[in-house]
Amino acid sequence: MFVMELSYTAPLESVEEQMDAHIAWLDGYYAAGVFLASGRKVPRDGGVILAGGVSRAEIERIAAEDPFAVAGVCTYAITEFIATKTSADLSTVRENPIV
């Protein structure tokens, strides 16, 4: 599972210009079952996406496709973690690591 943290690198006006395309990009990966939750950070200097079911290389490719990244208005920090405990709603992404 991945935590994808976006940090804005441009003024909010520039971010807003890409918002419709960013939302369409999000919707596509929600429909594909990759994105599990997303939203703005507080204060509003970026956002966070929880994702699962893909490899590290794939999540990096997905992040690079984000219209925010393409337009140069954000950067990504991606943290991979093993979700060994989840709510019942997220049980399908729970992982049992080999120890």
Side-chain angles (χ1 to χ4, degrees), residues 3-24:
V3 176
M4 304 168 69
E5 183 177 1
L6 297 76
S7 295
Y8 296 148
T9 58
L12 279 178
E13 297 78 25
S14 298
V15 171
E16 287 294 336
E17 290 173 4
Q18 303 301 319
M19 190 60 71
D20 289 344
H22 174 73
I23 291 170

Side-chain angles (χ1 to χ4, degrees), residues 21-73:
H22 174 73
I23 291 170
W25 170 83
L26 287 169
D27 289 345
Y29 284 104
Y30 273 109
V34 175
F35 291 169
L36 307 170
S38 61
R40 296 175 177 169
K41 293 192 292 186
V42 177
R44 190 177 175 197
D45 59 2
V48 174
I49 301 168
L50 296 181
V54 295
S55 69
R56 176 75 187 210
E58 184 69 5
I59 208 69
E60 289 175 359
R61 183 192 62 74
I62 289 168
E65 290 177 353
D66 180 353
F68 282 173
V70 172
V73 300

